[in-house]
Coordinates of all heavy atoms in Angstrom, one line a residue:
L1 N 114.3 138.8 85.5 CA 114.9 139.6 84.5 C 114.4 139.3 83.1 O 114.1 140.2 82.3 CB 116.5 139.5 84.5 CG 117.2 140.1 85.7 CD1 118.7 139.7 85.6 CD2 117.0 141.5 85.8
L2 N 114.2 138.0 82.8 CA 113.7 137.6 81.5 C 112.3 138.2 81.4 O 111.9 138.7 80.3 CB 113.7 136.1 81.4 CG 113.1 135.6 80.1 CD1 113.8 136.2 78.8 CD2 113.2 134.1 80.0
K3 N 111.4 138.0 82.4 CA 110.1 138.5 82.3 C 110.0 140.0 82.1 O 109.3 140.5 81.2 CB 109.3 138.1 83.5 CG 107.9 138.5 83.5 CD 107.1 138.1 84.8 CE 105.7 138.7 84.9 NZ 105.1 138.3 86.1
A4 N 110.9 140.7 82.8 CA 110.9 142.2 82.6 C 111.3 142.6 81.2 O 110.8 143.5 80.6 CB 111.8 142.8 83.6
G5 N 112.3 141.9 80.7 CA 112.8 142.2 79.3 C 111.7 141.9 78.3 O 111.5 142.6 77.4
L6 N 111.0 140.8 78.5 CA 109.9 140.4 77.5 C 108.8 141.4 77.6 O 108.2 141.8 76.5 CB 109.4 139.0 77.8 CG 110.4 137.9 77.5 CD1 109.8 136.6 78.1 CD2 110.6 137.8 76.0
M7 N 108.5 142.0 78.8 CA 107.4 142.9 78.9 C 107.8 144.3 78.2 O 106.9 145.0 77.8 CB 107.1 143.2 80.3 CG 106.4 142.0 81.0 SD 106.1 142.3 82.7 CE 104.8 143.5 82.6
M8 N 109.1 144.5 78.0 CA 109.5 145.8 77.4 C 109.6 145.7 75.9 O 109.7 146.7 75.2 CB 110.8 146.2 77.9 CG 110.8 146.5 79.4 SD 112.4 146.9 80.1 CE 112.4 148.6 79.7
L9 N 109.4 144.5 75.3 CA 109.5 144.3 73.9 C 108.3 145.0 73.2 O 107.2 144.9 73.6 CB 109.5 142.9 73.5 CG 110.8 142.1 73.7 CD1 110.6 140.6 73.3 CD2 111.9 142.7 72.9
K10 N 108.6 145.6 72.0 CA 107.5 146.1 71.2 C 107.0 144.9 70.4 O 107.7 143.9 70.2 CB 108.1 147.1 70.2 CG 108.6 148.4 70.8 CD 109.1 149.3 69.7 CE 109.7 150.6 70.3 NZ 110.3 151.5 69.3
P11 N 105.7 145.0 69.9 CA 105.2 143.9 69.1 C 106.2 143.6 67.9 O 106.6 144.6 67.3 CB 103.9 144.4 68.6 CG 103.4 145.3 69.7 CD 104.7 146.0 70.2
G12 N 106.5 142.4 67.7 CA 107.5 142.0 66.7 C 108.9 142.0 67.1 O 109.8 141.5 66.5
G13 N 109.1 142.5 68.3 CA 110.5 142.6 68.9 C 111.0 141.2 69.3 O 110.2 140.3 69.6
V14 N 112.3 141.1 69.4 CA 112.9 139.8 69.7 C 113.9 139.9 70.9 O 114.6 140.9 71.0 CB 113.7 139.2 68.5 CG1 114.4 138.0 68.8 CG2 112.7 138.9 67.3
L15 N 113.9 138.9 71.7 CA 114.8 138.9 72.8 C 115.5 137.5 72.8 O 114.9 136.5 72.5 CB 114.1 139.0 74.2 CG 114.9 139.0 75.4 CD1 114.3 140.0 76.4 CD2 115.0 137.7 76.0
V16 N 116.8 137.5 73.0 CA 117.6 136.3 73.1 C 118.0 136.1 74.6 O 118.6 137.0 75.2 CB 118.8 136.3 72.2 CG1 119.7 135.0 72.5 CG2 118.4 136.4 70.8
Y17 N 117.6 135.0 75.2 CA 117.9 134.6 76.5 C 119.1 133.6 76.4 O 119.0 132.6 75.7 CB 116.7 134.0 77.2 CG 117.1 133.4 78.6 CD1 117.3 134.3 79.7 CD2 117.1 132.1 78.8 CE1 117.7 133.8 80.9 CE2 117.5 131.6 80.1 CZ 117.7 132.4 81.1 OH 118.0 131.9 82.4
S18 N 120.2 133.9 77.1 CA 121.4 133.0 77.0 C 122.0 132.9 78.4 O 122.0 133.8 79.2 CB 122.4 133.7 76.1 OG 123.5 132.9 75.9
T19 N 122.5 131.7 78.7 CA 123.2 131.4 79.9 C 124.5 130.6 79.6 O 124.6 130.1 78.4 CB 122.4 130.6 80.9 OG1 122.2 129.2 80.4 CG2 121.0 131.2 81.2
C20 N 125.3 130.4 80.6 CA 126.5 129.6 80.4 C 126.4 128.4 81.4 O 127.4 128.2 82.2 CB 127.8 130.4 80.5 SG 127.9 131.4 82.0
T21 N 125.3 127.7 81.5 CA 125.1 126.7 82.5 C 124.5 125.5 81.8 O 123.8 125.6 80.8 CB 124.3 127.1 83.7 OG1 124.2 126.0 84.6 CG2 122.9 127.6 83.3
L22 N 124.7 124.3 82.3 CA 124.0 123.1 81.9 C 122.7 122.8 82.6 O 122.0 121.9 82.3 CB 125.0 121.9 82.1 CG 126.2 121.8 81.2 CD1 127.2 120.7 81.7 CD2 125.9 121.7 79.8
S23 N 122.4 123.6 83.6 CA 121.2 123.4 84.4 C 119.9 123.6 83.7 O 119.6 124.7 83.2 CB 121.3 124.4 85.6 OG 120.0 124.4 86.3
P24 N 119.1 122.6 83.6 CA 117.8 122.7 83.0 C 116.9 123.7 83.6 O 116.1 124.4 83.0 CB 117.2 121.3 83.1 CG 118.3 120.4 83.3 CD 119.3 121.2 84.0
V25 N 117.0 123.9 85.0 CA 116.2 124.8 85.7 C 116.6 126.3 85.3 O 115.7 127.1 85.1 CB 116.5 124.7 87.2 CG1 115.8 125.8 88.0 CG2 116.0 123.3 87.7
Q26 N 117.9 126.5 85.1 CA 118.3 127.9 84.7 C 118.1 128.1 83.2 O 118.2 129.3 82.8 CB 119.7 128.1 85.1 CG 119.9 128.2 86.6 CD 121.3 128.3 87.0 OE1 122.3 128.2 86.2 NE2 121.5 128.7 88.3
N27 N 117.9 127.1 82.4 CA 117.8 127.3 81.0 C 116.3 127.2 80.6 O 115.6 128.2 80.7 CB 118.6 126.2 80.3 CG 120.1 126.4 80.5 OD1 120.6 127.5 80.8 ND2 120.9 125.3 80.5
D28 N 115.8 126.1 80.1 CA 114.4 125.9 79.7 C 113.5 126.3 80.9 O 112.4 126.8 80.6 CB 114.1 124.5 79.2 CG 114.4 124.3 77.7 OD1 114.7 125.3 77.0 OD2 114.3 123.2 77.3
G29 N 113.9 126.0 82.1 CA 113.0 126.3 83.3 C 112.7 127.8 83.4 O 111.6 128.1 83.7
V30 N 113.7 128.6 83.3 CA 113.5 130.0 83.4 C 112.6 130.5 82.2 O 111.7 131.3 82.5 CB 114.9 130.8 83.4 CG1 114.6 132.3 83.3 CG2 115.6 130.5 84.7
V31 N 112.8 130.1 81.0 CA 112.0 130.5 79.9 C 110.6 130.1 80.1 O 109.6 130.8 80.0 CB 112.5 129.9 78.6 CG1 111.6 130.2 77.4 CG2 113.9 130.4 78.3
H32 N 110.4 128.8 80.6 CA 109.0 128.3 80.8 C 108.3 129.2 81.9 O 107.2 129.6 81.7 CB 109.1 126.8 81.3 CG 107.8 126.3 81.7 ND1 106.9 125.9 80.7 CD2 107.2 126.1 82.9 CE1 105.8 125.4 81.3 NE2 106.0 125.5 82.6
M33 N 109.0 129.4 83.0 CA 108.3 130.2 84.1 C 108.0 131.6 83.7 O 106.9 132.1 84.0 CB 109.2 130.2 85.3 CG 109.4 128.8 86.0 SD 107.9 128.1 86.6 CE 107.6 129.1 88.0
A34 N 108.9 132.2 82.9 CA 108.6 133.6 82.5 C 107.5 133.7 81.5 O 106.6 134.5 81.7 CB 109.9 134.2 81.8
L35 N 107.4 132.8 80.6 CA 106.3 132.7 79.6 C 105.0 132.4 80.3 O 104.0 133.0 80.0 CB 106.6 131.8 78.5 CG 107.7 132.2 77.5 CD1 108.0 131.1 76.5 CD2 107.4 133.5 76.8
R36 N 105.0 131.4 81.2 CA 103.8 131.0 81.9 C 103.3 132.2 82.7 O 102.1 132.5 82.7 CB 104.0 129.8 82.8 CG 102.7 129.3 83.4 CD 103.0 128.1 84.2 NE 103.4 128.7 85.6 CZ 103.8 127.9 86.5 NH1 104.0 126.6 86.4 NH2 104.1 128.5 87.7
S37 N 104.1 132.9 83.4 CA 103.7 134.0 84.2 C 103.1 135.1 83.3 O 102.1 135.7 83.6 CB 104.9 134.6 85.0 OG 104.5 135.7 85.7
L38 N 103.7 135.4 82.2 CA 103.2 136.5 81.3 C 101.9 136.1 80.7 O 101.0 136.9 80.6 CB 104.3 136.7 80.2 CG 105.5 137.5 80.6 CD1 106.6 137.5 79.6 CD2 105.1 139.0 80.9
W39 N 101.8 134.8 80.3 CA 100.5 134.4 79.7 C 99.4 134.4 80.7 O 98.2 134.6 80.4 CB 100.6 133.0 79.1 CG 101.4 133.0 77.8 CD1 101.5 134.1 76.9 CD2 102.3 132.0 77.3 NE1 102.3 133.7 75.8 CE2 102.9 132.5 76.1 CE3 102.7 130.8 77.7 CZ2 103.7 131.8 75.3 CZ3 103.6 130.0 77.0 CH2 104.1 130.5 75.8
E40 N 99.7 134.1 82.0 CA 98.7 134.1 83.1 C 98.3 135.5 83.5 O 97.2 135.8 83.9 CB 99.1 133.3 84.3 CG 99.2 131.8 84.0 CD 99.8 131.0 85.2 OE1 100.3 131.7 86.1 OE2 99.8 129.8 85.1
D41 N 99.3 136.4 83.6 CA 99.1 137.8 84.2 C 98.9 138.9 83.2 O 98.6 140.0 83.6 CB 100.3 138.1 85.1 CG 100.5 137.1 86.2 OD1 99.6 136.4 86.5 OD2 101.7 137.0 86.7
T42 N 99.1 138.7 81.9 CA 99.0 139.8 81.0 C 98.2 139.3 79.7 O 98.0 138.1 79.6 CB 100.4 140.3 80.5 OG1 101.0 139.3 79.7 CG2 101.3 140.6 81.7
T43 N 98.0 140.2 78.8 CA 97.4 139.8 77.5 C 98.5 139.7 76.4 O 98.2 139.6 75.2 CB 96.3 140.8 77.1 OG1 96.9 142.1 77.0 CG2 95.2 140.9 78.1
L44 N 99.7 139.9 76.8 CA 100.9 139.8 75.8 C 101.0 138.4 75.3 O 100.8 137.4 76.1 CB 102.2 140.3 76.5 CG 102.2 141.7 77.1 CD1 103.5 142.0 77.7 CD2 101.8 142.7 76.0
D45 N 101.4 138.2 74.1 CA 101.6 136.9 73.5 C 103.0 136.8 72.9 O 103.5 137.8 72.3 CB 100.5 136.6 72.5 CG 100.4 135.1 72.3 OD1 100.9 134.3 73.0 OD2 99.6 134.7 71.3
F46 N 103.6 135.7 73.1 CA 105.0 135.4 72.6 C 105.1 134.1 71.9 O 104.3 133.2 72.1 CB 106.0 135.4 73.8 CG 106.0 136.7 74.6 CD1 105.1 136.9 75.6 CD2 106.9 137.7 74.2 CE1 105.1 138.1 76.3 CE2 106.9 138.9 74.9 CZ 106.0 139.1 75.9
E47 N 106.1 134.0 71.1 CA 106.5 132.7 70.5 C 107.9 132.4 70.7 O 108.7 133.4 70.6 CB 106.1 132.6 69.0 CG 106.9 133.5 68.1 CD 106.6 133.3 66.6 OE1 105.9 132.4 66.3 OE2 107.1 134.2 65.9
V48 N 108.3 131.2 70.9 CA 109.7 130.8 70.9 C 110.1 130.4 69.5 O 109.5 129.5 68.9 CB 109.9 129.6 71.9 CG1 111.3 129.2 71.9 CG2 109.5 130.0 73.3
C49 N 111.1 131.0 69.0 CA 111.6 130.8 67.6 C 112.4 129.5 67.5 O 113.2 129.2 68.4 CB 112.4 131.9 67.1 SG 111.6 133.5 67.2
D50 N 112.1 128.7 66.5 CA 112.9 127.4 66.3 C 114.2 127.8 65.6 O 114.2 128.3 64.5 CB 112.0 126.5 65.4 CG 112.7 125.2 65.2 OD1 113.7 124.9 65.8 OD2 112.2 124.4 64.4
L51 N 115.3 127.5 66.3 CA 116.6 127.8 65.8 C 117.3 126.6 65.2 O 118.5 126.7 64.9 CB 117.5 128.4 67.0 CG 117.0 129.7 67.6 CD1 117.8 130.0 68.8 CD2 117.0 130.8 66.5
T52 N 116.6 125.5 65.0 CA 117.2 124.3 64.5 C 118.0 124.5 63.2 O 119.1 124.1 63.1 CB 116.1 123.2 64.3 OG1 115.4 123.0 65.5 CG2 116.7 121.9 63.9
E53 N 117.3 125.2 62.2 CA 118.0 125.4 61.0 C 119.1 126.4 61.1 O 120.1 126.3 60.4 CB 117.0 125.9 59.9 CG 116.0 124.8 59.5 CD 116.6 123.6 58.9 OE1 117.5 123.7 58.0 OE2 116.2 122.5 59.3
A54 N 119.0 127.4 62.0 CA 120.0 128.4 62.1 C 121.3 127.9 62.7 O 122.4 128.4 62.3 CB 119.5 129.5 63.0
V55 N 121.2 126.8 63.5 CA 122.5 126.3 64.1 C 123.0 125.1 63.3 O 124.2 124.7 63.7 CB 122.2 125.9 65.6 CG1 121.8 127.1 66.4 CG2 121.2 124.8 65.7
K56 N 122.4 124.6 62.3 CA 122.9 123.5 61.5 C 124.3 123.7 61.0 O 125.1 122.8 61.1 CB 121.9 123.1 60.4 CG 120.9 122.2 60.8 CD 120.1 121.7 59.5 CE 119.1 120.7 60.0 NZ 118.3 120.2 58.8
P57 N 124.6 124.9 60.5 CA 126.0 125.1 60.0 C 127.1 125.0 61.1 O 128.3 124.8 60.8 CB 126.0 126.5 59.4 CG 124.6 126.8 59.1 CD 123.8 126.0 60.2
L58 N 126.7 125.1 62.4 CA 127.6 125.0 63.5 C 127.8 123.6 64.0 O 128.7 123.4 64.9 CB 127.2 125.9 64.6 CG 126.9 127.4 64.2 CD1 126.3 128.2 65.4 CD2 128.2 128.0 63.7
R59 N 127.1 122.6 63.6 CA 127.2 121.3 64.1 C 128.5 120.7 64.0 O 128.9 119.8 64.8 CB 126.1 120.4 63.5 CG 124.7 120.8 63.9 CD 123.8 119.6 64.1 NE 122.5 120.0 64.6 CZ 122.1 119.9 65.8 NH1 123.0 119.5 66.7 NH2 120.9 120.3 66.2
F60 N 129.3 121.1 63.0 CA 130.7 120.5 62.8 C 131.6 121.0 63.9 O 132.7 120.4 64.2 CB 131.2 120.8 61.4 CG 131.7 122.2 61.2 CD1 133.1 122.4 61.4 CD2 130.9 123.2 60.9 CE1 133.6 123.7 61.2 CE2 131.3 124.5 60.7 CZ 132.7 124.7 60.9
L61 N 131.3 122.1 64.5 CA 132.2 122.7 65.5 C 132.0 122.2 66.9 O 132.9 122.1 67.7 CB 131.9 124.3 65.6 CG 132.5 125.1 64.5 CD1 132.0 126.5 64.7 CD2 134.0 125.1 64.5
C62 N 130.8 121.8 67.3 CA 130.4 121.4 68.6 C 129.2 120.6 68.7 O 128.5 120.4 67.7 CB 130.2 122.7 69.5 SG 128.9 123.8 68.8
K63 N 128.9 120.0 69.8 CA 127.7 119.2 70.1 C 126.6 120.1 70.5 O 126.7 120.8 71.5 CB 128.0 118.1 71.1 CG 126.8 117.3 71.4 CD 126.4 116.5 70.2 CE 125.2 115.6 70.6 NZ 124.5 115.0 69.5
L64 N 125.6 120.2 69.7 CA 124.4 121.0 70.0 C 123.2 120.1 70.3 O 123.0 119.1 69.7 CB 124.0 121.9 68.7 CG 125.0 123.0 68.5 CD1 124.9 123.5 67.0 CD2 124.7 124.2 69.4
Y65 N 122.5 120.5 71.3 CA 121.3 119.9 71.7 C 120.1 120.8 71.5 O 120.2 122.0 71.8 CB 121.3 119.5 73.2 CG 122.2 118.3 73.5 CD1 123.5 118.5 73.8 CD2 121.7 117.0 73.4 CE1 124.4 117.5 74.1 CE2 122.6 116.0 73.7 CZ 123.9 116.2 74.0 OH 124.7 115.1 74.3
G66 N 119.0 120.3 70.9 CA 117.8 121.1 70.7 C 116.6 120.3 71.0 O 116.6 119.3 71.8
S67 N 115.5 120.6 70.3 CA 114.2 119.9 70.6 C 114.3 118.4 70.4 O 113.6 117.7 71.1 CB 113.1 120.6 69.8 OG 113.4 120.5 68.4
Q68 N 115.0 118.0 69.4 CA 115.1 116.6 69.1 C 115.9 115.8 70.3 O 115.8 114.6 70.4 CB 115.8 116.3 67.8 CG 117.3 116.7 67.7 CD 117.6 118.1 67.4 OE1 116.7 119.0 67.4 NE2 118.8 118.5 67.2
D69 N 116.5 116.6 71.1 CA 117.3 116.0 72.2 C 116.7 116.3 73.6 O 117.3 116.2 74.6 CB 118.7 116.6 72.2 CG 119.4 116.3 70.9 OD1 119.6 115.2 70.5 OD2 119.8 117.3 70.3
G70 N 115.4 116.8 73.6 CA 114.7 117.0 74.9 C 114.7 118.5 75.3 O 114.1 118.8 76.4
M71 N 115.3 119.4 74.6 CA 115.2 120.8 75.0 C 113.9 121.3 74.5 O 113.5 121.0 73.3 CB 116.3 121.6 74.3 CG 117.8 121.1 74.6 SD 118.3 121.2 76.3 CE 118.2 122.9 76.6
K72 N 113.2 122.0 75.3 CA 111.8 122.5 75.0 C 111.8 123.8 74.3 O 111.0 124.0 73.3 CB 110.9 122.5 76.2 CG 109.5 122.8 75.9 CD 108.6 122.7 77.1 CE 107.2 122.9 76.7 NZ 106.3 122.8 77.8
Y73 N 112.7 124.7 74.7 CA 112.6 126.1 74.2 C 113.9 126.5 73.4 O 113.8 127.3 72.5 CB 112.4 127.1 75.3 CG 111.1 126.9 76.0 CD1 111.1 126.3 77.3 CD2 109.9 127.2 75.5 CE1 109.9 126.1 78.0 CE2 108.7 127.0 76.1 CZ 108.7 126.4 77.4 OH 107.6 126.2 78.1
G74 N 115.0 126.1 73.8 CA 116.3 126.6 73.2 C 117.2 125.6 72.7 O 116.8 124.4 72.5
Q75 N 118.4 126.0 72.5 CA 119.5 125.2 72.0 C 120.6 125.2 73.0 O 120.8 126.2 73.7 CB 120.1 125.7 70.7 CG 119.0 125.8 69.6 CD 118.8 124.4 68.9 OE1 119.7 123.6 68.8 NE2 117.6 124.2 68.5
M76 N 121.4 124.1 73.2 CA 122.5 124.1 74.1 C 123.7 123.6 73.4 O 123.7 122.6 72.7 CB 122.2 123.2 75.3 CG 123.3 123.3 76.3 SD 123.0 122.2 77.8 CE 121.5 122.8 78.4
V77 N 124.8 124.3 73.7 CA 126.1 123.9 73.2 C 126.7 123.2 74.4 O 126.9 123.7 75.5 CB 127.0 125.1 72.8 CG1 128.4 124.6 72.5 CG2 126.4 125.9 71.7
V78 N 127.1 121.9 74.2 CA 127.7 121.1 75.3 C 129.2 121.3 75.3 O 129.8 121.4 74.2 CB 127.3 119.6 75.1 CG1 128.0 118.8 76.2 CG2 125.8 119.4 75.2
P79 N 129.9 121.4 76.4 CA 131.3 121.6 76.5 C 132.1 120.6 75.7 O 131.7 119.4 75.7 CB 131.7 121.5 77.9 CG 130.4 121.8 78.7 CD 129.3 121.3 77.8
F80 N 133.0 121.1 74.9 CA 133.9 120.2 74.1 C 135.3 120.7 74.2 O 135.6 121.8 73.7 CB 133.4 120.2 72.7 CG 134.1 119.3 71.8 CD1 134.2 117.9 72.1 CD2 134.8 119.7 70.6 CE1 134.9 117.0 71.2 CE2 135.4 118.9 69.8 CZ 135.5 117.5 70.1
L81 N 136.1 120.1 75.0 CA 137.5 120.6 75.4 C 138.3 121.0 74.2 O 139.0 122.0 74.2 CB 138.2 119.6 76.3 CG 139.4 120.1 77.0 CD1 139.1 121.3 77.8 CD2 140.0 119.0 77.8
P82 N 138.4 120.2 73.1 CA 139.3 120.6 72.0 C 138.9 121.9 71.4 O 139.8 122.6 70.9 CB 139.1 119.5 71.0 CG 138.7 118.3 71.8 CD 137.9 118.8 72.9
N83 N 137.6 122.3 71.4 CA 137.2 123.6 70.9 C 137.2 124.7 71.9 O 137.0 125.9 71.6 CB 135.8 123.5 70.2 CG 135.9 122.8 68.9 OD1 136.9 122.6 68.3 ND2 134.7 122.3 68.5
N84 N 137.4 124.3 73.2 CA 137.6 125.3 74.3 C 136.4 126.2 74.5 O 136.6 127.4 74.7 CB 138.9 126.0 74.2 CG 139.3 126.7 75.5 OD1 138.9 126.2 76.5 ND2 140.0 127.8 75.4
F85 N 135.2 125.7 74.4 CA 134.0 126.5 74.7 C 132.8 125.7 75.1 O 132.8 124.5 74.9 CB 133.6 127.5 73.6 CG 133.1 126.8 72.3 CD1 131.8 126.4 72.1 CD2 134.0 126.5 71.3 CE1 131.4 125.8 71.0 CE2 133.6 125.9 70.2 CZ 132.3 125.6 70.0
G86 N 131.8 126.3 75.7 CA 130.7 125.6 76.3 C 130.8 125.5 77.8 O 131.8 125.7 78.3
P87 N 129.7 125.3 78.5 CA 128.3 125.2 77.9 C 127.8 126.6 77.6 O 128.2 127.6 78.1 CB 127.6 124.6 79.1 CG 128.3 125.1 80.3 CD 129.7 125.2 79.9
M88 N 126.8 126.5 76.7 CA 126.0 127.8 76.4 C 124.6 127.4 76.0 O 124.4 126.4 75.2 CB 126.7 128.5 75.2 CG 126.0 129.7 74.8 SD 126.8 130.7 73.5 CE 127.0 129.5 72.2
Y89 N 123.6 128.1 76.5 CA 122.2 127.9 76.2 C 121.7 129.2 75.6 O 122.1 130.2 76.1 CB 121.4 127.5 77.5 CG 120.0 127.5 77.3 CD1 119.3 126.4 76.9 CD2 119.2 128.6 77.5 CE1 117.9 126.4 76.7 CE2 117.8 128.7 77.3 CZ 117.2 127.5 76.9 OH 115.8 127.5 76.7
F90 N 120.8 129.0 74.6 CA 120.2 130.2 74.1 C 118.8 129.9 73.5 O 118.6 128.8 73.0 CB 121.1 130.9 73.0 CG 121.6 130.0 71.9 CD1 120.9 129.8 70.8 CD2 122.7 129.2 72.1 CE1 121.3 128.9 69.8 CE2 123.2 128.4 71.2 CZ 122.5 128.2 70.0
A91 N 117.9 130.9 73.7 CA 116.5 130.8 73.2 C 116.2 132.1 72.7 O 116.5 133.2 73.3 CB 115.6 130.3 74.3
K92 N 115.5 132.1 71.6 CA 115.0 133.4 70.9 C 113.5 133.4 71.1 O 112.8 132.5 70.6 CB 115.4 133.3 69.4 CG 115.0 134.6 68.6 CD 115.5 134.4 67.2 CE 115.1 135.6 66.3 NZ 115.5 135.4 64.9
I93 N 113.0 134.6 71.6 CA 111.6 134.7 71.9 C 111.1 136.0 71.2 O 111.8 137.1 71.3 CB 111.4 134.8 73.4 CG1 112.0 133.6 74.1 CG2 109.9 134.9 73.7 CD1 112.1 133.7 75.6
R94 N 110.0 135.9 70.5 CA 109.5 137.0 69.8 C 108.1 137.4 70.4 O 107.3 136.5 70.6 CB 109.3 136.7 68.3 CG 108.6 137.8 67.5 CD 108.4 137.4 66.0 NE 109.8 137.4 65.4 CZ 110.3 136.3 64.9 NH1 109.6 135.1 64.9 NH2 111.5 136.3 64.3
R95 N 107.9 138.7 70.5 CA 106.6 139.2 71.0 C 105.7 139.3 69.7 O 106.0 139.9 68.7 CB 106.7 140.5 71.6 CG 105.3 141.0 72.1 CD 105.3 142.2 72.9 NE 104.0 142.7 73.0 CZ 103.7 144.0 73.5 NH1 104.6 144.8 73.9 NH2 102.4 144.3 73.6
L96 N 104.5 138.7 69.8 CA 103.6 138.7 68.7 C 102.7 140.0 68.8 O 102.5 140.5 69.8 CB 102.6 137.5 68.8 CG 103.4 136.1 68.7 CD1 102.4 135.0 68.9 CD2 104.1 136.0 67.4
P97 N 102.3 140.4 67.6 CA 101.5 141.7 67.5 C 100.1 141.5 68.2 O 99.6 140.5 68.4 CB 101.3 141.9 66.0 CG 102.2 141.0 65.3 CD 102.6 139.9 66.3

């Protein structure tokens, strides 16, 4: 599904991939496999947007993991019972012109 969505983006278009799992395979793994497949099979080019600065204001609400914590492509919200949400993973991918 992610690969199909990325193939439909116009140049400059953005797609957000999000899950509600802690599984690295379903999170960064899916993004990695989709991008690798597209780069091998097409001439389309994409970039993964760095969301580190965008999520900084939310750090007081929950525990966020990003590239500094071993995430390669996206950000992850770790479950935190007092705030009653999580897990959540999200990655922003832009098609380059």
